[in-house]
Amino acid sequence: MLFDTVIIGGGPAGLTAGLYTSRARLKTLLIERGLPGGQVMTTELVENYPGFEEGIMGPELSAKMEKQARKFGLEIVQDSVREISLDGKTKKIILEEGRQYEAKSVILCTGAHPRLLGVKGEAELRGKGVSYCATCDGAFFKGQKIAVVGGGNSAVEEALFLTKFAKEVHVIHRRDQLRADRIVQERAFANERIKFIWDSVVEEIRGDEEVTSLLIKNRKTQQESVLDVQGIFIYVGYIPNTEFLSGFITLDEEGYIVTDHNMATSVPGVFAAGDVRANSVKQISVAVGSGTTAAISAAKYIEENFQERLK
Ligand code: NAP
Protein backbone atom coordinates (compact mmCIF):
# COMPACT_ATOMS: atom_id res chain seq x y z
CA MET A 1 0.00 0.00 0.00
CA LEU A 2 1.48 3.34 -1.05
CA PHE A 3 1.26 6.46 1.11
CA ASP A 4 2.53 9.97 0.49
CA THR A 5 3.90 10.04 4.03
CA VAL A 6 4.46 7.39 6.64
CA ILE A 7 5.09 8.73 10.14
CA ILE A 8 6.75 6.40 12.62
CA GLY A 9 5.90 7.25 16.23
CA GLY A 10 2.73 8.80 17.62
CA GLY A 11 3.85 11.25 20.31
CA PRO A 12 3.23 14.99 19.99
CA ALA A 13 5.74 15.30 17.11
CA GLY A 14 4.19 12.46 15.08
CA LEU A 15 0.60 13.50 15.72
CA THR A 16 1.37 17.10 14.76
CA ALA A 17 3.19 16.00 11.60
CA GLY A 18 0.14 13.85 10.79
CA LEU A 19 -2.21 16.78 11.34
CA TYR A 20 -0.24 18.94 8.92
CA THR A 21 0.33 16.34 6.18
CA SER A 22 -3.33 15.27 6.34
CA ARG A 23 -4.46 18.87 6.02
CA ALA A 24 -2.08 19.22 3.05
CA ARG A 25 -4.16 16.37 1.55
CA LEU A 26 -1.24 13.96 1.62
CA LYS A 27 -2.27 10.36 2.19
CA THR A 28 -0.68 9.72 5.56
CA LEU A 29 -0.21 6.68 7.77
CA LEU A 30 1.08 6.89 11.33
CA ILE A 31 2.61 3.77 12.88
CA GLU A 32 2.64 3.63 16.68
CA ARG A 33 3.61 0.58 18.72
CA GLY A 34 1.69 1.63 21.83
CA LEU A 35 -1.08 4.11 22.37
CA PRO A 36 -0.76 7.45 20.56
CA GLY A 37 0.63 10.15 22.85
CA GLY A 38 4.14 8.88 23.59
CA GLN A 39 5.75 10.01 26.83
CA VAL A 40 3.00 12.58 27.41
CA MET A 41 0.69 9.65 28.13
CA THR A 42 2.72 8.91 31.25
CA THR A 43 2.79 12.53 32.43
CA GLU A 44 0.32 13.50 35.11
CA LEU A 45 -0.13 17.22 34.56
CA VAL A 46 1.34 19.29 31.73
CA GLU A 47 1.71 22.87 32.91
CA ASN A 48 3.94 24.40 30.27
CA TYR A 49 2.09 23.68 27.03
CA PRO A 50 0.59 27.00 25.90
CA GLY A 51 -3.16 27.40 25.72
CA PHE A 52 -4.05 25.48 28.89
CA GLU A 53 -3.70 28.01 31.68
CA GLU A 54 -4.73 25.52 34.38
CA GLY A 55 -2.53 22.79 32.87
CA ILE A 56 -3.87 19.68 31.18
CA MET A 57 -3.56 15.99 32.06
CA GLY A 58 -1.07 14.22 29.77
CA PRO A 59 -3.50 11.55 28.49
CA GLU A 60 -6.13 14.21 27.77
CA LEU A 61 -3.69 16.30 25.74
CA SER A 62 -2.64 13.18 23.80
CA ALA A 63 -6.25 12.23 23.10
CA LYS A 64 -7.01 15.73 21.84
CA MET A 65 -3.99 15.69 19.51
CA GLU A 66 -4.96 12.29 18.14
CA LYS A 67 -8.59 13.26 17.60
CA GLN A 68 -7.62 16.46 15.83
CA ALA A 69 -5.23 14.68 13.45
CA ARG A 70 -7.73 11.88 12.69
CA LYS A 71 -10.39 14.49 11.93
CA PHE A 72 -8.36 15.53 8.89
CA GLY A 73 -7.85 11.97 7.66
CA LEU A 74 -4.74 10.66 9.46
CA GLU A 75 -4.74 6.84 9.50
CA ILE A 76 -3.11 5.13 12.50
CA VAL A 77 -1.96 1.51 12.83
CA GLN A 78 -0.75 -0.02 16.08
CA ASP A 79 2.35 -2.13 15.50
CA SER A 80 6.16 -1.98 15.62
CA VAL A 81 8.46 -1.55 12.65
CA ARG A 82 10.41 -4.75 11.94
CA GLU A 83 12.30 -3.61 8.86
CA ILE A 84 12.79 -0.37 7.00
CA SER A 85 14.39 0.40 3.66
CA LEU A 86 15.01 4.09 3.08
CA ASP A 87 17.48 4.21 0.20
CA GLY A 88 15.21 4.06 -2.87
CA LYS A 89 12.94 6.84 -4.09
CA THR A 90 10.06 4.86 -2.60
CA LYS A 91 10.67 3.89 1.04
CA LYS A 92 9.57 0.48 2.35
CA ILE A 93 8.35 -0.32 5.83
CA ILE A 94 7.55 -3.81 7.14
CA LEU A 95 5.72 -4.19 10.44
CA GLU A 96 6.11 -6.96 13.03
CA GLU A 97 2.74 -8.45 12.16
CA GLY A 98 3.75 -8.62 8.50
CA ARG A 99 1.94 -5.65 6.95
CA GLN A 100 4.03 -3.82 4.35
CA TYR A 101 3.80 -0.20 3.30
CA GLU A 102 5.50 2.04 0.77
CA ALA A 103 5.93 5.76 1.14
CA LYS A 104 7.17 8.73 -0.84
CA SER A 105 8.40 10.30 2.37
CA VAL A 106 8.97 9.16 5.94
CA ILE A 107 8.89 11.22 9.14
CA LEU A 108 10.67 9.59 12.10
CA CYS A 109 9.18 10.58 15.46
CA THR A 110 10.15 7.58 17.54
CA GLY A 111 11.12 9.49 20.70
CA ALA A 112 13.14 7.93 23.47
CA HIS A 113 12.83 5.40 26.30
CA PRO A 114 14.02 5.64 29.92
CA ARG A 115 17.69 4.99 30.64
CA LEU A 116 18.27 2.20 33.16
CA LEU A 117 20.50 2.64 36.18
CA GLY A 118 22.23 -0.63 35.45
CA VAL A 119 22.58 -1.77 39.06
CA LYS A 120 22.02 -5.12 40.74
CA GLY A 121 18.36 -5.75 41.53
CA GLU A 122 17.00 -3.29 38.96
CA ALA A 123 15.95 -5.85 36.34
CA GLU A 124 14.96 -8.50 38.90
CA LEU A 125 12.66 -6.15 40.84
CA ARG A 126 11.19 -4.25 37.88
CA GLY A 127 7.44 -4.09 38.46
CA LYS A 128 8.02 -5.22 42.06
CA GLY A 129 8.89 -1.79 43.38
CA VAL A 130 11.20 -0.61 40.58
CA SER A 131 9.37 1.74 38.23
CA TYR A 132 10.04 4.27 35.47
CA CYS A 133 6.52 5.74 35.48
CA ALA A 134 5.10 7.54 38.50
CA THR A 135 1.78 8.18 36.77
CA CYS A 136 1.35 4.45 36.14
CA ASP A 137 2.57 3.09 39.48
CA GLY A 138 2.48 5.93 42.05
CA ALA A 139 -0.86 4.92 43.57
CA PHE A 140 0.60 1.54 44.68
CA PHE A 141 2.76 3.35 47.24
CA LYS A 142 0.09 4.99 49.39
CA GLY A 143 1.50 5.81 52.84
CA GLN A 144 4.86 4.23 51.99
CA LYS A 145 8.45 5.40 51.85
CA ILE A 146 9.97 5.58 48.37
CA ALA A 147 12.96 6.94 46.45
CA VAL A 148 13.34 8.82 43.18
CA VAL A 149 16.67 8.80 41.37
CA GLY A 150 17.80 11.78 39.25
CA GLY A 151 17.93 15.55 39.40
CA GLY A 152 16.27 16.62 36.13
CA ASN A 153 12.75 17.86 35.45
CA SER A 154 11.37 14.34 35.23
CA ALA A 155 12.78 13.23 38.59
CA VAL A 156 11.76 16.32 40.53
CA GLU A 157 8.32 16.74 38.94
CA GLU A 158 7.52 13.08 39.48
CA ALA A 159 8.82 13.25 43.07
CA LEU A 160 6.32 16.06 43.65
CA PHE A 161 3.54 13.99 42.09
CA LEU A 162 4.47 10.98 44.22
CA THR A 163 3.95 12.98 47.45
CA LYS A 164 0.22 12.60 46.73
CA PHE A 165 0.61 8.95 47.71
CA ALA A 166 3.87 8.28 49.53
CA LYS A 167 4.52 9.60 53.04
CA GLU A 168 8.23 10.19 52.29
CA VAL A 169 9.96 10.64 48.95
CA HIS A 170 13.76 10.57 48.99
CA VAL A 171 15.33 12.15 45.91
CA ILE A 172 18.75 10.65 45.35
CA HIS A 173 20.93 12.80 43.11
CA ARG A 174 24.54 12.26 42.10
CA ARG A 175 25.46 15.96 42.47
CA ASP A 176 24.63 18.69 44.99
CA GLN A 177 22.58 20.76 42.52
CA LEU A 178 19.45 19.90 40.62
CA ARG A 179 19.15 20.19 36.86
CA ALA A 180 15.36 20.74 36.98
CA ASP A 181 13.77 24.13 36.19
CA ARG A 182 13.93 26.63 39.05
CA ILE A 183 10.16 26.72 39.59
CA VAL A 184 10.09 22.94 39.95
CA GLN A 185 13.05 23.03 42.37
CA GLU A 186 11.33 25.66 44.53
CA ARG A 187 8.21 23.51 44.84
CA ALA A 188 10.25 20.46 45.78
CA PHE A 189 12.29 22.31 48.42
CA ALA A 190 9.05 23.62 49.91
CA ASN A 191 7.45 20.17 50.10
CA GLU A 192 7.86 18.58 53.53
CA ARG A 193 7.46 15.06 52.22
CA ILE A 194 10.48 15.36 49.92
CA LYS A 195 13.97 14.78 51.33
CA PHE A 196 17.16 15.06 49.30
CA ILE A 197 20.12 12.74 49.39
CA TRP A 198 22.89 14.68 47.62
CA ASP A 199 26.09 13.54 45.91
CA SER A 200 24.88 9.97 46.03
CA VAL A 201 24.26 7.04 43.74
CA VAL A 202 22.27 3.84 44.14
CA GLU A 203 24.64 0.87 44.12
CA GLU A 204 22.10 -1.89 44.59
CA ILE A 205 18.34 -2.37 44.82
CA ARG A 206 17.57 -4.97 47.46
CA GLY A 207 14.59 -7.22 48.14
CA ASP A 208 13.45 -10.78 47.49
CA GLU A 209 9.88 -10.59 46.24
CA GLU A 210 9.64 -6.79 46.40
CA VAL A 211 11.95 -3.83 46.94
CA THR A 212 12.84 -3.44 50.62
CA SER A 213 15.94 -1.21 50.60
CA LEU A 214 18.64 0.53 48.58
CA LEU A 215 22.39 0.48 49.02
CA ILE A 216 23.52 4.07 48.52
CA LYS A 217 27.02 5.46 48.18
CA ASN A 218 28.04 9.04 48.81
CA ARG A 219 30.38 9.98 45.97
CA LYS A 220 32.27 12.55 48.03
CA THR A 221 32.85 10.58 51.22
CA GLN A 222 32.64 7.08 49.63
CA GLN A 223 30.46 6.15 52.60
CA GLU A 224 27.81 3.50 51.99
CA SER A 225 24.40 3.46 53.68
CA VAL A 226 21.16 1.52 53.45
CA LEU A 227 17.85 3.29 52.89
CA ASP A 228 14.68 1.31 53.62
CA VAL A 229 12.11 1.98 50.90
CA GLN A 230 9.25 0.06 49.30
CA GLY A 231 9.69 1.60 45.87
CA ILE A 232 12.19 3.31 43.60
CA PHE A 233 11.34 5.48 40.60
CA ILE A 234 14.21 5.94 38.17
CA TYR A 235 14.47 9.13 36.08
CA VAL A 236 18.05 9.36 34.86
CA GLY A 237 17.44 10.49 31.29
CA TYR A 238 16.41 8.84 28.06
CA ILE A 239 17.86 6.81 25.18
CA PRO A 240 16.63 7.51 21.61
CA ASN A 241 14.55 4.82 19.90
CA THR A 242 16.75 4.53 16.83
CA GLU A 243 18.18 0.97 16.99
CA PHE A 244 16.30 0.01 13.80
CA LEU A 245 17.85 2.99 11.95
CA SER A 246 21.48 2.33 12.70
CA GLY A 247 23.47 2.16 9.47
CA PHE A 248 20.66 3.68 7.38
CA ILE A 249 20.74 7.26 8.55
CA THR A 250 23.23 9.60 10.26
CA LEU A 251 22.95 9.45 14.05
CA ASP A 252 25.02 11.38 16.60
CA GLU A 253 27.27 9.61 19.12
CA GLU A 254 24.34 9.10 21.51
CA GLY A 255 22.11 7.67 18.77
CA TYR A 256 19.91 10.73 18.14
CA ILE A 257 18.99 11.53 14.51
CA VAL A 258 20.93 14.39 12.95
CA THR A 259 18.69 16.84 11.03
CA ASP A 260 19.06 20.22 9.38
CA HIS A 261 16.78 23.17 10.17
CA ASN A 262 14.11 21.74 7.81
CA MET A 263 14.12 18.50 9.86
CA ALA A 264 15.69 16.71 6.85
CA THR A 265 17.89 13.74 7.75
CA SER A 266 20.90 12.45 5.81
CA VAL A 267 18.52 10.47 3.53
CA PRO A 268 16.44 12.37 0.92
CA GLY A 269 12.72 12.15 1.65
CA VAL A 270 13.28 11.15 5.27
CA PHE A 271 12.63 13.69 8.03
CA ALA A 272 12.73 13.52 11.83
CA ALA A 273 10.95 15.38 14.61
CA GLY A 274 10.57 15.40 18.39
CA ASP A 275 12.81 14.01 21.10
CA VAL A 276 14.55 11.62 18.71
CA ARG A 277 16.36 14.55 17.02
CA ALA A 278 19.91 15.42 17.97
CA ASN A 279 20.38 18.66 19.95
CA SER A 280 16.68 19.10 20.49
CA VAL A 281 15.19 20.64 23.63
CA LYS A 282 12.91 17.96 25.04
CA GLN A 283 9.64 19.80 25.39
CA ILE A 284 6.17 19.08 24.00
CA SER A 285 6.07 22.52 22.38
CA VAL A 286 9.37 21.84 20.63
CA ALA A 287 8.20 18.41 19.45
CA VAL A 288 5.05 20.00 18.06
CA GLY A 289 7.12 22.69 16.31
CA SER A 290 9.55 20.24 14.75
CA GLY A 291 6.64 17.98 13.72
CA THR A 292 5.15 20.94 11.89
CA THR A 293 8.41 21.76 10.12
CA ALA A 294 8.98 18.10 9.18
CA ALA A 295 5.47 17.85 7.69
CA ILE A 296 5.87 21.02 5.63
CA SER A 297 9.29 19.84 4.43
CA ALA A 298 7.89 16.43 3.51
CA ALA A 299 5.07 18.06 1.53
CA LYS A 300 7.59 20.24 -0.33
CA TYR A 301 9.80 17.22 -1.03
CA ILE A 302 6.86 15.27 -2.49
CA GLU A 303 5.79 18.26 -4.60
CA GLU A 304 9.31 18.56 -6.05
CA ASN A 305 10.00 14.84 -6.57
CA PHE A 306 6.72 13.16 -7.52
CA GLN A 307 4.24 14.02 -10.28
CA GLU A 308 1.11 12.18 -9.19
CA ARG A 309 -0.95 12.88 -6.07
CA LEU A 310 -2.56 10.04 -4.12
CA LYS A 311 -5.38 12.12 -2.64
P1 NAP B 1 17.72 14.89 32.19
O1 NAP B 1 17.33 16.31 32.17
O2 NAP B 1 18.73 14.39 31.22
O3 NAP B 1 18.19 14.56 33.67
C1 NAP B 1 18.66 13.29 33.99
C2 NAP B 1 19.10 13.33 35.45
O4 NAP B 1 19.58 12.05 35.81
C3 NAP B 1 20.22 14.32 35.70
O5 NAP B 1 20.02 14.98 36.92
C4 NAP B 1 21.46 13.43 35.75
O6 NAP B 1 22.45 13.91 36.64
C5 NAP B 1 20.90 12.14 36.30
N1 NAP B 1 21.61 10.95 35.83
C6 NAP B 1 21.95 10.61 34.56
N2 NAP B 1 22.55 9.40 34.54
C7 NAP B 1 22.61 8.97 35.82
C8 NAP B 1 23.10 7.81 36.44
N3 NAP B 1 23.67 6.83 35.73
N4 NAP B 1 23.01 7.70 37.79
C9 NAP B 1 22.43 8.68 38.51
N5 NAP B 1 21.92 9.81 37.98
C10 NAP B 1 22.01 9.96 36.65
O7 NAP B 1 16.46 13.90 31.98
P2 NAP B 1 14.92 14.13 32.32
O8 NAP B 1 14.73 14.78 33.63
O9 NAP B 1 14.26 12.83 32.07
O10 NAP B 1 14.45 15.13 31.21
C11 NAP B 1 14.69 14.85 29.81
C12 NAP B 1 14.33 16.09 29.02
O11 NAP B 1 12.91 16.31 29.09
C13 NAP B 1 14.98 17.37 29.59
O12 NAP B 1 15.32 18.18 28.51
C14 NAP B 1 13.88 17.97 30.42
O13 NAP B 1 13.98 19.39 30.57
C15 NAP B 1 12.64 17.59 29.63
N6 NAP B 1 11.47 17.51 30.53
C16 NAP B 1 10.77 18.66 30.69
C17 NAP B 1 9.68 18.69 31.54
C18 NAP B 1 8.94 19.98 31.71
O14 NAP B 1 9.27 20.95 31.06
N7 NAP B 1 7.94 20.05 32.56
C19 NAP B 1 9.30 17.54 32.24
C20 NAP B 1 10.07 16.38 32.07
C21 NAP B 1 11.16 16.39 31.22
P3 NAP B 1 23.32 15.23 36.30
O15 NAP B 1 22.39 16.38 36.59
O16 NAP B 1 24.45 15.12 37.23
O17 NAP B 1 23.70 15.11 34.86
Side-chain angles (χ1 to χ4, degrees), residues 48 115-117 149-155 157 172-175 177-179 181 184 200-201 219 235-238 275 280-283:
N48 54 6
R115 173 179 288 137
L116 305 186
L117 266 185
V149 187
N153 273 321
S154 299
E157 283 190 352
I172 303 166
H173 183 36
R174 63 182 178 184
R175 292 186 296 130
Q177 264 186 340
L178 297 173
R179 184 181 287 278
D181 293 345
V184 179
S200 298
V201 288
R219 294 169 77 209
Y235 287 104
V236 293
Y238 287 86
D275 285 3
S280 156
V281 174
K282 298 193 173 30
Q283 294 289 313

Side-chain angles (χ1 to χ4, degrees), residues 162 168 181:
L162 287 163
E168 263 178 49
D181 293 345

